[in-house]
Structure formats: C-alpha cells, structure tokens
Amino acid sequence: MANRLGRVCCLLGAALLWAGCGTREPTRPTGPPAEKVEFVLPIDSDPATLNFVTGTDVWQSLVARFVADSLVDDGEALEPVPRLASSWEFSPDRKVLTFHLRQGVRWHDGLPCTARDVLFTYAKLRDPATHARADFLQDVAEVTAPDDLTLRVVYREPTVLALDAWKFPILAEHLFSRGDFLASAVHQSPVGTGPFRFDSWKHGREIVLSANRDYFLGPPRLDRIILKIMPSRATQFQALLTGEVDWSSIPPEEWEARKSQAEFRRRYHLFEYPVLYLYYLAWNEKTSFFADAKVRNAMTLSLDRAGYVRKAYRGGGIVAVTTFHPRQFGFDPGLLPLPHDPGRAAALLDEAGWRRDPGGGPRRRAGKRFRFELLIFQANPVQEQIAALLQESLARLGIDMEIRALDFPALLDRLQRHDFEAAFSGWSLTPDPDPTPFFHSDPILGPSNYVGYSDAELDRLLVEGRHAFDPARRSAIYRRVQAILGRDQPYTFLFFPIQRLALDSRFEGARVTAAGSPLRAFPGILNWYVPAELRKPRARP
C-alpha cells in the first residue's frame, strides 16, 4: 500500500521490465474542455493522512495521484512515461540515471517546480524521522541536481527497479522550509503540480479537488472531483442508483442480473477487469500462536477460499498462492493453492502441540487455550464474510477466534506497530512482482512485513531478484521465492479480486487498459469528459 503501489495488472514482457528510457507523450482527446462538471467518487474511509511521503493507504495514494506528479508514471500499456521528467537516460553501465525535468512547471501556488524539490522529497523519504517507505531507494548511492532542470542519480549497482523508484509524488520544498515536517498543516491541504488542486477535506464527509487549468500537459476536462466518504459498499451502490455518486463497484450478488438489464446498461458504462490487489490474513509470528509454520498452514487449510470466491463472491476473484498474480512476470503456474482440508489442518495443529482432549473442547498447549483476535476493516462485506467463515471453521477445530472491526486508519496503525494477533487487510501490488517490501526481514527493505516473517534464503533471493536483468534468471529466483512462501504461509493469501463496476454513462473517455482501472494509468482521468448536452447541475448539501 505504498505510494509506489496501486497500479493494476498486465503481463509484463521482458522489454518493459528492463527498458532504459521512455519519452513518449500520452495522447489527449481533442474538443472543448468540460466546464462545471463534477465527478463524484465514493471511497470507503478518510485517508489516514495526506502526507504524500509517509502515507501508504489507497485513498491517500489516489488523492496524491490527482494533486501531485511524479517524475515517471505508468502508461496505458504499463510502459514508463514521463510526467515531471521530460526524458531520461542511463549510463552504459546502468549505474547513473539522469532525468531532464520539464521547463515551466509550477506549483499550484504559482512558484516554479525545480530539481531542488525532487532532492527535498528524496531526502524526506530517506530521513528515518519520517518513518517513510524508502525500500525502493536503497540502491541509490547519491542524488544531485547539477541545475534546476537536471537530476543525476547514482546507483551502487544496477537494478531493474531504477525507474520504478521515481514514481513517488514530489513535494514543494518551499512549503516545508520551516517547522516540523510531520506536523505541517500542508499535509491537511496539500499543494502539488498535478491536474487537480486540493480544495477542502471535511473529515468523514468528503475531499474536494478542482481542475488545475494551468496544468503543464493541458487542463483536465472535469471541473471537480469529489471523493465522498461512504464506508458501506452497499450504500455506495445505492448512491449510484439515485445519482448521488457517479461510480460504484457492483455487489457480487447483483452483477449477473444488472449486466443483463438493458436499462442499466444504458445508464452506466460497465467494466470488469482483474486487479493487482491481494486480500490477505496476517498471522503475527511474534505471538505464541503463529510462530510455527504448521499452525499458519493449518489456518489456510481450514478456510474454504475457493468456495467463498465461487459462491459468495460469484466468481469475482482468483484464489492466491502467494503475492504473485497470474498475470505478473515470474508467476509459477505449477504451484497450486492449498486446498480446503480441515482434517489436515487438525493434524498439523496436533503436531504443533495444540491439542484437544478426546471428547472435544478447546485446543490447548502447555495449558494455554488457543484463543485469538482477528482485526478487520469495519463495514467491508468481504472481510466480514470471510472472517465469519473462518470463525466457524476454526470453532470446529477447537479454536476460539474473536472478530474486532476497526476503521482503516486504526487498522493500518495496528499493522504498522505490529500490535495484533491476526489481521485482515490487503495490498495494492505493482506491475513488477518484486515482493521485497512484504517479506524481507530488514525493516528498511521490508516495511510492510507486518507479521515479522524471517527466512535467510528468502532475504537473499529477494535482493538478488532486484538486480537480475536476465529474465530467465529473475524468473528462476521468483519461482523459488514462491515455493518458500507457499511452504511457510506467513500470510494466508486469500484471492485477487476481479473488479466489476459501473460509471454514469454521461462520462466519456473512460476505458480499461492494460493497467486495469480507468482511474489509473496516465493519462487516465485526464481523458474523461461529459458532452455539453449531458451536463447537469448536481445539488450540493
């Protein structure tokens, strides 16, 4: 869930993974710009923060995507495309990466954006005091700015993730020159160079962004974006039907019926696409319950993941083996998900010393009862349903699991502090499959290793994978990585969802690309517009 995360999936070929430079400008549709057009997008919760350096949740990343710019972005075919950088080149040994920034780019407050701002952002990412995710910058030895429009990056050794490392949003140095960076009020009203300006944030209600008419790649053709906070997915869908919002996922039980209704298809554009997102159950290995891989395997074996995806989720997902999506580079099709096997789960629990007496009853080890708490995100039907299913399955095995629902900021805080026994959450994944942030035992390289997992062979392979330019070699490394993760089950990898959603048919220009969501790959929402004859006023509370 890091800033660089949140891109959606496509099979990446070797040429894309190891490309050196991309300078193609995205195409933009012609026609008059839209005026006074709002796009109302429901989101599940307030972001934990709008600090674009320290934030890691998906809603913060979405705001950053609209308000800020990175040097490099993903294009519609997931090729690297320029944003704040106009071009870049590598030295022959690939240890030096030089970016050339665009001329004339200005912050929303009117001051020029220069390479000094990039240096400032880089320094804050690397500053231990910010507790920011900077694992993707660990191979950087030095960054300098020879002039206002040039950035020179020196790497200790070549890495396949060199360009990916610069897909983070850039901050304005002049706004943070005084006072405590982490406590700055700018994080509540961020200023960027992006296509939309931050207007307001009413906690628990909405975040409002307005079009930046001076955007250096041309103004967006939507006047405002309103991120409306609606914790319930069912409420979001009803709000779509009443016209309160313009976009919503479609509940699994509604999908088949809705897509067959002519009137529904007339009112909405329907999209269905796989998402590079993974639902997981985290087992804190620092607790007495989940330190043993046998117990973690038992947890996975006790849950009927395939049955849930097929029945409750109406086939809208792919059961996961590890974090590697079937469409990602290096995915090993020879590895299969653990089946639903309560008998095998019981045997593994016995082997781990968690036994129940012959007459049944709770499992105990050394007199301690197997009873733990699972944290879930409140008002999320997927989490509620799977948690209830797991609770029932474990009860039959003699394990007592309590469910506790938290809002997202609270759940994320507990994960980051490793203050939990078990937790249900998810990761947004990148097109590149590198899973180092999730599993490396070094906290700097593995900032999302919430469970405290550690394996010396895996640590070594993860680092090797970041520096393996030969596709065959990198693929072999990742096959072994997947085998180790499948063996140890540091998490129960649940499933990759297939997104099914509807967008009000007034909006044109939205389309699914190799990147998946119409909101994602650049230029994405910059291509959206509403024809003049379909524009309508919307009542505001």
Side-chain angles (χ1 to χ4, degrees):
M1 298 183 288
N3 288 337
R4 78 186 181 101
L5 301 180
R7 279 78 171 181
V8 280
C9 58
C10 173
L11 179 62
L12 298 182
L16 202 152
L17 284 170
W18 295 278
C21 175
T23 58
R24 182 180 65 83
E25 293 286 353
T27 58
R28 297 288 306 279
T30 59
E35 295 180 359
K36 300 181 180 178
V37 175
E38 294 179 348
F39 170 55
V40 183
L41 171 67
I43 62 176
D44 296 341
S45 68
D46 283 296
T49 177
L50 289 182
N51 182 329
F52 295 161
V53 163
T54 65
T56 60
D57 68 81
V58 65
W59 305 127
Q60 174 273 332
S61 297
L62 189 62
V63 174
R65 184 163 189 80
F66 295 146
V67 172
D69 281 301
S70 54
L71 292 182
V72 185
D73 204 347
D74 292 316
E76 292 187 344
L78 293 183
E79 77 283 15
V81 297
R83 291 284 293 269
L84 286 176
S86 61
S87 64
W88 56 81
E89 68 266 353
F90 284 97
S91 63
D93 64 0
R94 298 189 66 88
K95 287 188 176 182
V96 180
L97 170 59
T98 302
F99 288 104
H100 304 283
L101 276 62
R102 298 178 187 273
Q103 294 185 358
V105 177
R106 293 189 173 274
W107 295 100
H108 294 156
D109 63 7
L111 293 182
C113 175
T114 72
R116 287 184 54 86
D117 296 301
V118 184
L119 281 178
F120 172 81
T121 308
Y122 169 78
K124 289 303 178 184
L125 282 164
R126 297 300 300 268
D127 182 355
T130 67
H131 304 288
R133 281 206 50 181
D135 58 287
F136 47 95
L137 294 168
Q138 293 308 306
D139 288 314
V140 176
E142 181 185 44
V143 183
T144 57
D147 57 57
D148 281 353
L149 297 177
T150 306
L151 195 77
R152 185 174 183 268
V153 185
V154 179
Y155 288 88
R156 294 184 182 89
E157 58 180 308
T159 170
V160 297
L161 301 177
L163 285 177
D164 277 354
W166 298 92
K167 292 176 180 176
F168 54 82
I170 305 303
L171 303 181
E173 179 185 26
H174 66 277
L175 295 177
F176 298 97
S177 57
R178 295 180 182 177
D180 183 349
F181 172 76
L182 292 177
S184 174
V186 179
H187 299 313
Q188 296 297 311
S189 54
V191 174
T193 59
F196 291 89
R197 300 169 181 264
F198 177 88
D199 276 354
S200 63
W201 181 6
K202 297 178 181 177
H203 289 259
R205 293 181 57 188
E206 65 183 21
I207 297 172
V208 180
L209 313 175
S210 62
N212 176 12
R213 298 301 177 194
D214 298 319
Y215 188 49
F216 58 86
L217 291 176
R221 306 204 295 169
L222 304 182
D223 195 59
R224 293 209 298 179
I225 296 176
I226 300 171
L227 305 175
K228 195 173 185 64
I229 297 158
M230 294 183 166
S232 168
R233 296 290 177 89
T235 300
Q236 292 177 12
F237 184 60
Q238 289 304 312
L240 174 75
L241 298 179
T242 61
E244 185 181 351
V245 302
D246 298 309
W247 163 294
S248 174
S249 60
I250 300 176
E253 64 275 11
E254 298 259 11
W255 172 250
E256 291 297 331
R258 293 291 183 176
K259 74 175 184 179
S260 65
Q261 296 172 356
E263 176 61 15
F264 192 80
R265 294 198 309 272
R266 184 191 66 80
R267 291 182 60 190
Y268 305 103
H269 301 299
L270 302 186
F271 301 101
E272 182 177 24
Y273 53 88
V275 181
L276 270 186
Y277 187 89
L278 172 66
Y279 286 109
Y280 65 77
L281 295 168
W283 312 113
N284 192 338
E285 297 182 26
K286 303 306 180 184
T287 68
S288 60
F289 300 116
F290 304 116
D292 192 331
K294 291 179 180 178
V295 175
R296 301 193 300 269
N297 271 267
M299 295 296 105
T300 301
L301 289 163
S302 69
L303 186 61
D304 187 4
R305 294 174 293 166
Y308 175 81
V309 168
R310 183 178 63 256
K311 299 174 185 176
Y313 217 59
R314 302 300 200 273
I318 303 167
V319 176
V321 184
T322 67
T323 59
F324 282 69
H325 193 285
R327 296 194 176 191
Q328 279 183 317
F329 171 83
F331 172 75
D332 186 353
L335 288 177
L336 299 177
L338 290 179
H340 177 221
D341 190 341
R344 177 59 180 155
L348 287 174
L349 290 167
D350 289 342
E351 291 177 23
W354 292 99
R355 299 179 179 276
R356 61 196 312 187
D357 61 58
R363 288 187 181 270
R364 300 179 186 273
R365 187 175 68 182
K368 182 176 183 178
R369 184 171 176 175
F370 202 143
R371 174 187 291 162
F372 70 94
E373 180 182 70
L374 175 71
L375 305 181
I376 69 170
F377 177 37
Q378 65 186 18
N380 185 301
V382 172
Q383 296 201 13
E384 292 170 350
Q385 292 164 1
I386 291 182
L389 184 65
L390 178 63
Q391 186 180 52
E392 295 173 5
S393 299
L394 293 180
R396 290 191 288 270
L397 290 170
I399 296 174
D400 183 12
M401 186 188 84
E402 299 177 0
I403 301 171
R404 183 179 180 186
L406 301 174
D407 62 26
F408 183 76
L411 178 58
L412 181 60
D413 177 64
R414 294 282 294 271
L415 284 169
Q416 292 174 336
R417 291 190 292 110
H418 310 280
D419 180 21
F420 66 97
E421 294 171 321
F424 193 147
S425 190
W427 282 315
S428 292
L429 308 174
T430 58
D432 188 279
D434 170 39
T436 303
F438 310 134
F439 304 114
H440 202 286
S441 62
D442 183 335
I444 295 176
L445 292 175
S448 295
N449 184 354
Y450 302 129
V451 299
Y453 175 67
S454 179
D455 181 89
E457 181 186 4
L458 189 78
D459 282 351
R460 175 180 58 80
L461 291 170
L462 292 173
V463 173
E464 289 181 6
R466 287 186 161 189
H467 304 284
F469 281 82
D470 175 62
R473 171 62 180 151
R474 197 172 191 226
S475 181
I477 289 171
Y478 285 155
R479 285 197 299 273
R480 178 58 184 160
V481 165
Q482 291 167 82
I484 293 172
L485 295 174
R487 176 197 72 196
D488 290 349
Q489 293 292 300
Y491 299 77
T492 291
F493 306 104
L494 294 171
F495 66 94
F496 306 104
I498 294 173
Q499 182 67 277
R500 294 160 171 170
L501 58 85
L503 170 67
D504 191 299
S505 60
R506 295 179 300 119
F507 292 87
E508 299 292 345
R511 62 193 186 95
V512 171
T513 67
S517 170
L519 291 174
R520 297 308 312 175
F522 186 73
I525 202 168
L526 293 181
N527 282 349
W528 293 24
Y529 67 98
V530 175
E533 66 273 14
L534 296 179
R535 297 172 194 170
K536 62 180 182 181
R538 187 192 300 273
R540 299 287 295 144

